[in-house]
Amino acid sequence: MNINLKIWRQSSDKKDGKLHDYRLENVDPNISFLEMLDILNNKLVKEKKDPVAFDHDCREGICGSCGFMINGRPHGPQKATTVCQLHMRSFKDEDDILLEPFRAKSFGVIKDLSVDRKSFDRIISSSGFVSVDTGEAGEANYIPIEKNNADEAFLSAACIGCGACVAACKNSSAMLFTSAKVSHLALLPQGEKEQADRVNKMVATMDAEGFGACTNTGACSAECPKEISQTNIARLNREFVKAQLGSFIKKK
Amino acid sequence: MNNFKLNSNAPNGELHTKWEDYKKTLNKLTPEEANKYKVIIIGTGLAGASAAATLAEKGFNIHAFSYHESPRRAHSIAAQGGINAAKNYKQDGDSVMRLFYDTIKGGDFRSREDNVYRLAELSVNIIDQCVAQGVPFAREYGGLLDNRSFGGVQVSRTFYARGQTGQQLLLGAYSALSRQTNAGKVTFYPRHDMLDIVTVDGKAKGIVTRNLLNGKIESHSADVVILATGGYSNVYYLSTNAMASNVTANWRAHRKGALFANPSFTQIHPTCIPVKNDFQSKLTLMSESLRNDGRVWVPKKKNDTRKAVDIPEEERDYYLERIYPAFGNLVPRDVASRRAKEVCDNGQGVGNTGVAVYLDFKKAIKEKGEQFIKEKYGNLFDMYQNITDENPYKTPMKIYPAVHYTMGGLWVDYNLMTTIPGLFSIGESNFSDHGANRLGASALMQGLADGYFVAPHTIMDYLATENPDFSNKTDQKEFVAAVEETEKDIEDIMSIKGDLVVDEVHRELGKVVWDKVGMARDKKGLNHAIDSIPKIKEKFWKNVSIPGSDKDMNQELEKALRLKDFIELAELMAHDALDRNESCGAHFREEYQTPENEAERNDKDFKYVAAWGYNKNGKPSLFKEELKYKNVKLKTRSYK
């Protein structure tokens, strides 16, 4: 198959970027999308031109490194799939394919399709953990956990932190990302004791990082490569209200 | 170095009380005293993040470096199947002793008893710690933790979180690390490649890094340096490792005097998605746990082009079940891989290329239901379908072995310290614990045992004997020289201006290493590798092409800096494999096999760890650590 690529090229966060056209011919439909970019980059290097920068690592859809917009959608057209797991058979011969970085105030462009997602780390380090030192833990099976809760917690914890939710959201909100961590820990007895403090701090950090508010359009969940459910956002809201009321009552 | 004798520094005493007794003798520092020390950790995967968090909890000031943007991206995240622990929750006769023995035997009697016992002992603490952090392991309906079986063992001791156990454990360690970042005890340096180790008076005192965003070369000083930089499977170009996984940090340490142990002990994982074309950039693993319910087979007839569903039961060869009735599909990885190669070499391979075997779930789906299989392996089945465009619920998976893990690594003593004082190596980056073959679900166990429970004690003991020096020492001559050397390397590479893309050279190297130092090796092939690798090296230094500037984000330069070290490592691997005139575990020398085509060990001559020293102009020098077995009897591995 032949394809026509339009790729956002930007040499750094300080420079302006613009779209460049590239054409690739005889692309095997069974290669992955990133392997297609590898071929383009090899070609550019042969021509002594700067290859397209993009983040990627495991190429198994789990590390969360990859991700950019393909024809306006984070990670491209296939549901529940990261860019690295997308294959060229999802496209047609002579398709025009537009590649842009994730766009959000809190994700600055580093170069081309690579963006800075350190704000996600800061949200987690504000309180996305259980305060237990190494060696303090008791026997694991002393705290039985209902299977349904453990399974739900797992589904929330499966977030890969790629940022697609933010890129999909018209408000650039990080609610799905933040709520997935809040939910994961709220569903387990280990996380319960610090829950109020956790949700307060994580929401405050999320706001301070410049992410927008959630208006429940659900685009985040629809575009999430790991299908993190919107229920997490409802759970965060409930925990947040509980925490706010709790501190209100304490003050009184 | 010539009269240097390798000593494991393992304490004397009874095997089962050794570590606990030893820990009591180690020097301690109070949090106030620890606060005066600076610790550098390279790599923040399972081993690095867990060590960073634990040392920070004890009061040390941690400077953690990674080429990733975040610790959560480390390749530990891709581990699928599980983590072993001798909890004996299933009451199936498991014990620390049994896990210890399985690991020693699985490693084909080429690992150190003391280390392996400690690993088995600590396995139970890891599960407790992870559960306390909120790691959502799979549970039974009664609310207790669930287990499954893995290869090479007859008990069920593997804890798991669907097919994403590595992800959940890494996020647990990352959360502990994040907590310490928040407390101000950890400074994280994202997108930094470590390009050299700095030694002062023979001790590791710092590192040289390149900032991947702006190309800036910097040095950093500390009281101790820990390498938690993972394995070097990418020397083969195609492997299940992530794209950026590399040997550079370890190789730079090796060049500065750290011995490299058993470099040719590389694990070929039996169940991966086969190579499909020339553009392939990496291989994808299908977890070993699939062999709990999947049955491996090939057609009995050679060159059989029928579809799997058209081949009747009686014309299928379930060769693992046939050859190994006791362990069946759950034989260890090295055995399963070699047998797959054997049937494919014999013309019984399947698929377009004939280089694949079937992994069939039909029986399990019929007996246990599709929903059961979906719950256990759902994400793996989805991933398989995504990549191959085939539905594994309907047709059997096609699989073939691929490089997956490296048992070899920096030589370390019982304290996990390399031969450079003050330089520690933990997790996959060191050679310890797995001998010549690692059992499934033991990599996560080792990474976390080293990081949470071993290194924090032994490093504190080391530091207690060092005067803390918080001042920045990077203007010392050793640091200045290391920076200059690194800058020169980069300048040299940038000035080559040839016409080969880095990946082209890497692919060529990978082919040689896979063909000659892969699943089966022989003298002729290894000599061929030793001849041809220097030519690849020359090609690299004459012909590689790096566009753009080194003072900028430059992903081609990053790859080139890694490849130059892989090339040197590849040569050492071939020397190591050639020197070891026996077969053991994953190291299979064609010349040394039993009449049943099993590995033939030679305990009389090769019951040692081969630790290699670097010589700039000449052959590497070999140092041997004799392995002593006081608690297990050496015997031929049998899984029949």
Side-chain angles (χ1 to χ4, degrees), chain B residues 286-305:
Chain B
M286 289 283 110
S287 166
E288 176 160 319
S289 61
L290 292 170
R291 286 196 274 144
N292 271 298
D293 289 298
R295 302 175 71 200
V296 177
W297 66 275
V298 289
K300 283 185 178 162
K301 210 171 84 187
K302 286 185 189 182
N303 306 315
D304 194 334
T305 52

Side-chain angles (χ1 to χ4, degrees), chain B residues 195-196 208-210 215-218 479-494 550-551 561:
Chain B
L195 295 180
D196 211 356
V208 177
T209 58
R210 178 170 182 270
K216 213 169 161 199
I217 305 295
E218 287 165 325
F479 284 86
V480 175
V483 166
E484 276 171 8
E485 208 178 301
T486 304
E487 281 171 341
K488 171 135 197 328
D489 269 349
I490 291 173
E491 209 183 292
D492 288 350
I493 289 177
M494 291 305 291
D550 61 311
K551 304 285 187 291
L561 286 165

Side-chain angles (χ1 to χ4, degrees), chain B residues 269-332:
Chain B
H269 194 290
T271 52
C272 300
I273 300 177
V275 177
K276 54 184 191 294
N277 55 43
D278 294 342
F279 308 111
Q280 188 113 14
S281 55
K282 74 153 295 190
L283 297 170
T284 302
L285 179 90
M286 289 283 110
S287 166
E288 176 160 319
S289 61
L290 292 170
R291 286 196 274 144
N292 271 298
D293 289 298
R295 302 175 71 200
V296 177
W297 66 275
V298 289
K300 283 185 178 162
K301 210 171 84 187
K302 286 185 189 182
N303 306 315
D304 194 334
T305 52
R306 286 176 292 176
K307 279 190 190 153
V309 288
D310 298 334
I311 301 176
E313 269 309 303
E314 62 275 13
E315 290 179 43
R316 299 175 175 194
D317 181 8
Y318 293 91
Y319 58 91
L320 290 178
E321 295 171 22
R322 173 171 58 80
I323 309 173
Y324 306 101
F327 283 72
N329 293 293
L330 284 173
V331 290

Side-chain angles (χ1 to χ4, degrees), chain B residues 296-299 302 317 319-320 322-323 336-350 354 356-357 400:
Chain B
V296 177
W297 66 275
V298 289
K302 286 185 189 182
D317 181 8
Y319 58 91
L320 290 178
R322 173 171 58 80
I323 309 173
S337 292
R338 209 157 49 238
R339 292 297 181 183
K341 180 178 190 296
E342 193 180 87
V343 292
C344 291
D345 289 351
N346 192 37
Q348 292 168 276
V350 300
V357 300
Y400 195 69

Side-chain angles (χ1 to χ4, degrees), chain A residues 48 89 117 121 139 184 190, chain B residues 69 89 131 134 174 386 498:
Chain A
K48 312 280 176 210
R89 56 178 170 266
R117 291 169 287 198
D121 281 337
E139 158 57 41
H184 158 213
Q190 295 92 320
Chain B
E69 59 172 340
Y89 285 159
V131 166
Y174 162 68
N386 235 331

